Amino acid sequence: MPSARLPPSRDDSACRRLSDELDDSDTPSGNTSSSKRVLKIRKEWLDLILSRQKSWEIRSKRCTVGPVLLYEVGARRIVGRADIIDVFRVPRSEFAEHFDKHRVNTKALARLGPSYGDLYAWVLANVRQFDIPIDHDGGRSVTWGAHYNGIIP
């Protein structure tokens, strides 16, 4: 049985290049102020990501790799940041084999049903939780919040 394609090995310089957009040294005050993508995640999954127990965010579509801000759905706040370093399709037949990366149990997967479509792993790295969350209106999209244009702590 073929296994799901695991993320290719990434050297540190590649991850650094991806995270440069969110580098704290961008301004003299140590903060950045350019517009950032905001990824909306429910608290149960976000807590696992921030505690580094979950490194794959599972979605039904592909996305572009690069830095993102992590938005806690329901709390209306940005609580951290990460880099999406790879995106690939995970066959449902092989999904359980990678539980340690995505933490989605079979009961939760069954709730998604076939209408959810394909499953894609968004591989997260360089996760950092902010000491002080940023209040932010997430917008109406289910996956992506309104871009954030303010100061990053």
Side-chain angles (χ1 to χ4, degrees), residues 29-94:
S29 65
N31 296 316
T32 60
S33 60
S34 60
S35 177
K36 306 290 184 263
R37 293 187 304 166
V38 177
L39 177 60
K40 297 166 102 174
I41 305 172
R42 289 191 336 229
K43 182 174 177 27
E44 67 180 295
W45 303 119
L46 191 54
D47 287 347
L48 291 171
I49 291 167
L50 293 172
S51 66
R52 308 219 178 20
Q53 296 177 56
K54 175 177 164 67
S55 59
W56 290 6
E57 176 63 3
I58 300 301
R59 299 293 173 127
S60 63
K61 295 181 177 15
R62 296 182 183 275
C63 75
T64 305
V65 298
V68 294
L69 295 171
L70 304 173
Y71 177 88
E72 184 180 331
V73 172
R76 299 175 55 97
R77 61 188 186 167
I78 297 169
V79 297
R81 66 187 190 184
D83 293 322
I84 298 173
I85 62 168
D86 198 10
V87 177
F88 56 91
R89 187 177 165 278
V90 181
R92 284 178 186 260
S93 61
E94 300 171 19

Side-chain angles (χ1 to χ4, degrees), residues 80 83 92 106-107 116:
D83 293 322
R92 284 178 186 260
T106 53
K107 188 176 181 179
Y116 192 76

